[in-house]
Amino acid sequence: MSWDPAVLARIRHLHLRARVLTDSLLMGEHRSRRVGQAVEFADYQEYQPGADLRFLDWKVLARSDRLVIKRFETETELPCTVVVDLSADLATGQTGRGGYPDLDASKAGYALTLAATLLFYLHRHGEPVGLEIVAGEGCAFPSLPPRTGKNHLQQCFVALASVRPAGRADLAAALVRVGSRTRRRSWVGLITDGMEEPSEWLPALSAFSRRRADVRLFHLFDREEWTLGFKDASVFYSPEGGQELAVDPVGAREAFAEVVDEYVTEVRSGVVRWGGRYVPVGTDRAMEDAIRRAILDGMAEGSWA
Amino acid sequence: MGLSLLAPLALGLAVLGVLPVLAHLARQTPKDRKAFGAMLLLERVVKRLRRRRRVKDPWLLLMRLLALAALFLAVSGPVLSYHDGTPEFGGSGRVVLVLDRSASMTMSDRGSTLFSRARADAVAVVGSLPEGTLLGAVVFDSEALRLTSALTTDAASIGARLADVAPTGGTSNLQAALHEARGLLGGEPGEVLLFSDEAGPRIVLDAHTEIERLVELGSAVLPRTVRPEVVRNVAVVSAHYGSGIEGGTVTLRLANFSDEPTEVACEVTLPDGATVPVFVDLPPAGEAEERITVPPEALGGVGRVSCDDPAMSIDDDRYFHLPRVGASRVLVVDGDPGDTPLRSEVYFFERALSPWGAMQSGFRPDVATPGGVLDVDTEEYRVIVLANVGDPRPLGPRLTEFVRSGGSLVIAAGDNVTADRYNAAFSSVLPSPLRRSRALADRAEQGVPLGLPDVQADIFKPFQRSGRAGFSRVRSHRVMTLEPYAESEDVRTLLQYEGDIPALVERRLGSGRVVVWTSTLDLGWTNLPLQAVYMPMVQRLVTVLGGDTSGGAARLDGLVGERIAVPLPDLAAEPDVLGPEGDVVRSRVEASQLLFQPKTAGAYQVVLPGSPPLAWVAVNSDPDESDVRPYHTVEEAESALNPELFRVEYELGTVLLGLSGLLFFGQALLMTRRRRTDEA
């Protein structure tokens, strides 16, 4: 297997960015190998040094002078899958030059970096991680099921570094397909710009909710696009093809803002309805905020603005 | 309506009209192309904006275009000309008012009739004309009548005469009215104001020639049409009798001249006063036919069909002829029954009347003995025959009353007949007192033959074509003689033997008759029963005597207001025409025809005093008058001849200029408002 030097460079770059971001996320946090909260008692385990003293059963200690740790259901492994939409539309944003996306500027670069960071972060917590790439081209392994191990993580990074935005996502079909492969009670991070008719693809989230998966939808957007922050009238087109529209951004801005609000409301309510959490992610915002809101703080909803 | 231009070249400026279109379409297509990741949202925005602009921009364009179009049109001097049905009148100073008083004008509408409205309008017009205007007036139905012999300035007199005009049931003859109006104008131009409903399919078409002549004369016919708010009328348009089962059928046809279906209650009244109710369902603007069965026996005469219609009553009755229907009931009093039927006095008579039974022959003879007559209701019979009755005195008063009330009595002689008893019983009704029985010849001899009858007499009319000679074979060897009498209108010798010996003598008493047959009805004194003339003569005798009130009367039909000619036989006196109410209608005899003009519908009869009617005339209104729907109008006819008469012209330049200014102002406002919105 020969590696494209650009891809190799991107792998390192991705890895580095992911680690840096993860470190910043974990700064000041007590390291734990588990994600989630204890909700249901399972059994007892003999205390081992290093175990979290919060879970020491003080009543058992008082009665029998034994040190035992309470175990909960959720403390079992949590399979995590990151689903990345890399349709051609994600090549737009502040840069839309084609080729490998600029990891700093384009929506696709932001999506890849976010995916890599999530994978790295979850791997660092000892969870098995998997990757599903929707649309895009150049990736030999677009579907990697959740596993543990550094090599698997590395494989995910290779997939992320080698993919280029292309084609249509066809979100409805893709979500049904990924959902059917998802394990029960797993964690799913869906990174997409959602630029397909919401009424068509939102119901596909039921494929996850039926498996009681914890879905976080990272709704990616470019602020300049969503505010129609252009000055001159232009012919706008989608890289995915379709109708071209000559629009004067100044005249249409007010109506566009109304449409964006209606659209966000529609997507948010759809995600919540199907049991997920909605995380708007603007490419102009720090990625840590998005991850913290989605994972650490447990905050789902929030304003895109 | 039409539009003409005084300066059509100015429309060349309309080329400038493309400028706002070009300006409107000159939206620069952006050259810059931009990849955009939220096309889904942009498409939604564009749809929304298009919806808004679809309302906003086309209005702007439309206003600009209309403003320019109005400006160019204003410059080119447009003149709007349109058809107006009410041109001004009175300008010529010579006006003839023509008032329709035909049947259709009697239609009720909003509490009054069309005629009363038209008349009021005519009177008002007379009052509104300038003083000194020469006026004339004509009223018309089937004939036109001048109210003034010449044009006059006496408006008050014309108004008063018009106010006195009443509607008739006649047919509309607009042609005659316009002819009279043209006569009043005396070949000079003038105006003819027509107050009519112009209803019916023919009224205007028939008057087209007169309209043309008036227009050629430089005159104008100005219609002041009166129309009902809702056109509706039901009329009986025809009724006629046809033979069939029982007494036959009367077929009546009703027409509905409205757009709504309707049910009408009708009543058929037969000449004897019997009524038959019938309901008729009529489709919208269509006709329906209904048949009623006539009873097995009915008097002949004129019947009537009436329907209940509030719109126009004049055509709700229709009169029709009905022949006498059913068998004539004859009471034969047998004065010498004999021991076998063949020996009966009335054997031959009875069979001559009804050889195959009453239903086939039309006669129903009932035979009674003299004593049995007292138990019989004589009102059920039209003819009573006394055949060789010995003593009629007990029957005298009753049979005399029978004759005086319209019945007919036939007295046949015989061995039992005694002159004194008959003279005592029927002294007041006999043509002449009976004298005695007289032998004309020995029984072994052939007897005295009958003379040939006058075939113009009702009884002998069937022998007009042939059979008359058969009477000469009838021979009698004995007769009952009468006291000498003078021939008169009431007493006539219908038949006599050679030697001027009366054989059949008739006396008329009103509508009743007494006929004396001086011989026997059987073979006792004569061989008549064995002759070929016996049966037709007996049947005809009973037919004529038996209450066919129309008898041999002619049956004619006529229309209200139209002249009716009744052919007359040679008469010594001039007959009268009796109207439906029994009043004498004015008539005159001209070239063996009796002429009269009925003013109302109904049953008219031509009569000589004391005799059956010579003719029955069923007079009805014209069915065309019942059709109150408008077909052709005078306005249409005259517009084709003189298009300018009803045309009004109006210059639109100033109006269009103002409109153009308003539109320019409006588009400027709209544009300013839109610019502000865009800037915001």
Side-chain angles (χ1 to χ4, degrees):
Chain A
M1 184 176 180
S2 62
W3 293 97
D4 184 348
V7 174
L8 291 173
R10 286 169 64 80
I11 293 171
R12 277 196 296 276
H13 196 178
L14 266 177
H15 192 95
L16 185 61
R17 288 171 71 92
R19 199 172 69 184
V20 169
L21 283 167
T22 304
D23 286 345
S24 70
L25 283 167
L26 296 177
M27 194 174 291
E29 183 188 339
H30 175 75
R31 292 189 176 189
S32 168
R33 294 182 61 82
R34 297 291 180 266
V35 176
Q37 294 177 337
V39 291
E40 193 174 344
F41 173 76
D43 59 2
Y44 286 108
Q45 188 183 22
E46 286 294 327
Y47 171 74
Q48 298 295 328
D52 195 338
L53 289 176
R54 284 184 301 172
F55 299 111
L56 191 66
D57 195 328
W58 296 101
K59 291 179 181 174
V60 172
L61 178 63
R63 283 200 299 269
S64 59
D65 204 25
R66 287 178 60 196
L67 291 170
V68 292
I69 298 294
K70 286 190 282 189
R71 285 167 59 97
F72 297 89
E73 284 287 346
T74 54
E75 288 179 330
T76 56
E77 284 184 342
L78 179 67
C80 299
T81 303
V82 175
V83 184
V84 189
D85 169 13
L86 274 175
S87 58
D89 271 350
L90 271 90
T92 62
Q94 290 182 354
T95 60
R97 294 187 294 271
Y100 291 115
D102 186 338
L103 295 179
D104 292 319
S106 72
K107 282 189 288 186
Y110 198 95
L112 291 172
T113 307
L114 177 59
T117 307
L118 285 170
L119 289 169
F120 192 83
Y121 175 84
L122 294 166
H123 173 75
R124 285 279 291 269
H125 277 71
E127 309 295 357
V129 292
L131 177 66
E132 295 279 354
I133 297 176
V134 176
E137 64 179 10
C139 177
F141 307 103
S143 177
L144 297 167
R147 285 183 195 159
T148 52
K150 284 186 178 177
N151 285 341
H152 181 69
L153 180 66
Q154 195 64 20
Q155 205 170 359
C156 292
F157 274 45
V158 169
L160 290 172
S162 58
V163 71
R164 295 186 297 274
R168 288 192 75 243
D170 194 4
L171 279 175
L175 291 178
V176 170
R177 190 173 62 243
V178 173
S180 65
R181 292 198 289 258
T182 306
R183 293 187 205 163
R184 292 181 65 79
R185 296 180 185 280
S186 62
W187 184 93
V188 177
L190 172 58
I191 303 167
T192 179
D193 64 347
M195 278 303 149
E196 292 180 21
E197 196 56 48
S199 60
E200 293 175 4
W201 63 266
L202 281 170
L205 293 175
S206 62
F208 299 102
S209 61
R210 276 201 297 271
R211 286 173 166 73
R212 297 192 178 181
D214 184 9
V215 177
R216 308 293 160 100
L217 187 132
F218 294 90
H219 197 183
L220 209 56
F221 66 91
D222 181 274
R223 188 163 301 278
E224 189 179 34
E225 284 183 346
W226 276 28
T227 54
L228 208 60
F230 310 105
K231 291 179 180 173
D232 301 325
S234 304
V235 174
F236 291 91
Y237 70 95
S238 167
E240 293 182 14
Q243 188 184 8
E244 295 186 354
L245 295 171
V247 175
D248 176 11
V250 177
R253 193 166 291 145
E254 187 181 343
F256 193 81
E258 293 171 12
V259 168
V260 169
D261 280 339
E262 290 167 9
Y263 166 72
V264 169
T265 305
E266 186 181 1
V267 174
R268 178 190 289 128
S269 58
V271 170
V272 172
R273 182 184 170 196
W274 294 108
R277 295 187 179 186
Y278 177 78
V279 184
V281 182
T283 55
D284 60 327
R285 292 284 183 87
M287 201 173 292
E288 298 92 309
D289 291 344
I291 296 172
R292 186 172 286 118
R293 276 190 293 154
I295 299 173
L296 301 182
D297 298 345
M299 292 166 60
E301 290 75 18
S303 167
W304 68 272
Chain B
M1 187 178 286
L3 188 70
S4 57
L5 302 172
L6 295 176
L9 288 178
L11 270 187
L13 294 171
V15 177
L16 297 175
V18 299
L19 292 180
V21 181
L22 292 177
H24 200 83
L25 297 176
R27 288 176 181 159
Q28 288 182 351
T29 306
K31 292 175 183 172
D32 188 20
R33 286 169 54 81
K34 200 181 287 290
F36 193 66
M39 285 302 284
L40 174 76
L41 307 180
L42 204 54
E43 283 169 9
R44 290 185 178 184
V45 168
V46 170
K47 279 181 191 170
R48 187 168 296 188
L49 289 176
R50 275 182 187 161
R51 275 204 299 274
R52 290 178 188 170
R53 287 194 175 179
R54 205 173 288 147
V55 178
K56 198 183 288 179
D57 285 357
W59 280 115
L60 191 60
L61 177 62
L62 187 68
M63 286 179 80
R64 287 170 178 171
L65 285 174
L66 283 176
L68 279 176
L71 181 64
F72 300 140
L73 268 177
V75 173
S76 58
V79 177
L80 181 71
S81 57
Y82 57 92
H83 193 88
D84 190 348
T86 55
E88 291 181 0
F89 58 88
S92 68
R94 297 159 58 81
V95 177
V96 178
L97 296 97
V98 176
L99 179 60
D100 184 354
R101 58 172 177 174
S102 65
S104 63
M105 293 290 283
T106 62
M107 183 172 181
S108 297
D109 179 54
R110 287 170 283 174
S112 63
T113 63
L114 296 184
F115 177 79
S116 60
R117 275 162 49 193
R119 186 177 56 189
D121 187 25
V123 172
V125 164
V126 169
S128 69
L129 286 169
E131 201 170 335
T133 303
L134 285 170
L135 281 170
V138 175
V139 293
F140 73 98
D141 46 15
S142 51
E143 289 184 346
L145 175 69
R146 292 185 192 186
L147 296 185
T148 54
S149 55
L151 297 182
T152 173
T153 54
D154 188 359
S157 164
I158 295 280
R161 290 184 190 185
L162 282 171
D164 288 340
V165 176
T168 67
T171 309
S172 303
N173 189 349
L174 179 60
Q175 185 179 14
L178 294 182
H179 179 79
E180 290 299 325
R182 190 158 57 89
L184 276 173
L185 288 173
E188 298 289 326
E191 292 157 314
V192 178
L193 295 182
L194 173 62
F195 302 86
S196 169
D197 59 352
E198 299 177 18
R202 299 293 316 168
I203 175 173
V204 176
L205 291 181
D206 292 344
H208 196 269
T209 310
E210 277 301 327
I211 296 173
E212 210 168 48
R213 285 177 185 163
L214 279 164
V215 171
E216 282 171 6
L217 198 67
S219 300
V221 181
L222 305 177
R224 294 179 69 84
T225 312
V226 281
R227 292 256 161 77
E229 193 174 32
V230 180
V231 176
R232 61 164 181 267
N233 184 31
V234 172
V236 188
V237 291
S238 78
H240 65 270
Y241 170 79
S243 59
I245 56 169
E246 295 197 15
T249 54
V250 173
T251 305
L252 43 142
R253 176 169 284 277
L254 276 80
N256 178 14
F257 298 104
S258 76
D259 295 330
E260 297 290 330
T262 185
E263 185 189 48
V264 182
C266 295
E267 191 174 71
V268 181
T269 307
L270 301 178
D272 58 5
T275 57
V276 183
V278 60
F279 286 89
V280 184
D281 282 318
L282 284 159
E287 293 188 352
E289 193 175 86
E290 200 68 43
R291 292 163 191 265
I292 63 117
T293 302
V294 179
E297 288 184 23
L299 277 177
V302 175
R304 186 184 69 186
V305 181
S306 305
C307 74
D308 185 18
D309 171 39
M312 197 163 92
S313 60
I314 205 160
D315 58 0
D316 294 345
D317 294 335
R318 182 149 288 269
Y319 296 87
F320 62 97
H321 292 287
L322 184 75
R324 184 177 59 78
V325 175
S328 288
R329 298 192 66 181
V330 182
L331 179 64
V332 185
V333 186
D334 190 352
D336 185 13
D339 49 359
T340 64
L342 190 60
R343 288 176 182 274
S344 166
E345 186 75 25
V346 298
Y347 175 81
F348 293 100
F349 186 80
E350 188 185 350
R351 272 145 193 82
L353 277 182
S354 181
W356 305 284
M359 290 309 289
Q360 281 77 17
S361 64
F363 301 100
R364 210 172 90 192
D366 293 333
V367 180
T369 60
V373 175
L374 296 173
D375 302 326
V376 170
D377 182 5
T378 53
E379 287 188 2
E380 292 182 4
Y381 299 94
R382 295 171 183 168
V383 181
I384 297 177
V385 180
L386 300 181
N388 197 15
V389 174
D391 187 3
R393 285 175 296 183
L395 311 177
R398 194 165 184 203
L399 294 183
T400 300
E401 181 57 33
F402 169 72
V403 171
R404 293 196 183 282
S405 62
S408 294
L409 177 67
V410 178
I411 297 170
D415 293 332
N416 297 340
V417 174
T418 311
D420 294 341
R421 291 175 182 167
Y422 273 78
N423 292 339
F426 304 118
S427 60
S428 60
V429 296
L430 281 172
S432 177
L434 303 187
R435 196 173 188 183
R436 64 182 175 84
S437 169
R438 174 188 166 193
L440 299 178
D442 190 76
R443 267 194 174 273
E445 294 174 7
Q446 284 189 323
V448 178
L450 270 178
L452 294 180
D454 177 10
V455 292
Q456 294 303 319
D458 272 352
I459 293 174
F460 302 109
K461 270 185 178 172
F463 302 98
Q464 266 180 337
R465 293 177 62 188
S466 63
R468 184 181 177 222
F471 283 91
S472 61
R473 296 194 192 96
V474 178
R475 292 170 186 272
S476 298
H477 52 84
R478 180 174 284 275
V479 294
M480 176 62 70
T481 57
L482 302 172
E483 293 292 343
Y485 59 88
E487 293 274 339
S488 68
E489 280 294 316
D490 293 335
V491 179
R492 291 191 302 168
T493 306
L494 300 175
L495 201 58
Q496 56 189 6
Y497 295 99
E498 285 184 359
D500 296 338
I501 303 165
L504 190 66
V505 184
E506 176 199 56
R507 181 178 176 186
R508 298 187 178 194
L509 294 109
S511 55
R513 297 187 192 188
V514 176
V515 176
V516 178
W517 171 244
T518 58
S519 189
T520 56
L521 287 178
D522 66 352
L523 296 169
W525 291 0
T526 179
N527 67 349
L528 175 64
L530 300 179
Q531 299 306 313
V533 296
Y534 183 66
M535 183 188 287
M537 192 192 82
V538 165
Q539 289 195 353
R540 182 64 181 174
L541 177 69
V542 173
T543 299
V544 173
L545 298 180
D548 180 359
T549 50
S550 60
R555 293 192 174 95
L556 301 168
D557 289 294
L559 295 177
V560 175
E562 291 198 349
R563 199 173 64 170
I564 295 169
V566 183
L568 291 176
D570 291 332
L571 295 170
E574 185 174 325
D576 289 329
V577 178
L578 300 182
E581 306 300 329
D583 50 321
V584 176
V585 177
R586 206 172 70 177
S587 63
R588 63 191 162 90
V589 176
E590 193 176 297
S592 73
Q593 285 186 324
L594 182 72
L595 305 176
F596 73 102
Q597 201 166 8
K599 298 293 181 194
T600 58
Y604 288 72
Q605 45 184 316
V606 179
V607 294
L608 280 169
S611 67
L614 294 170
W616 282 100
V617 185
V619 176
N620 292 293
S621 59
D622 187 353
D624 277 355
E625 287 297 308
S626 301
D627 190 351
V628 291
R629 295 171 295 188
Y631 286 86
H632 310 282
T633 63
V634 170
E635 188 181 322
E636 286 169 2
E638 203 170 9
S639 294
L641 298 167
N642 184 8
E644 297 303 318
L645 182 62
F646 294 94
R647 193 163 288 281
V648 174
E649 291 190 341
Y650 185 76
E651 287 192 13
L652 291 173
T654 314
V655 174
L656 285 172
L657 211 57
L659 180 67
S660 173
L662 275 176
L663 286 166
F664 275 123
F665 182 68
Q667 67 88 30
L669 273 181
L670 193 62
M671 228 173 79
T672 309
R673 190 175 168 189
R674 191 177 158 210
R675 193 171 293 146
R676 280 179 188 164
T677 308
D678 286 348
E679 283 170 0

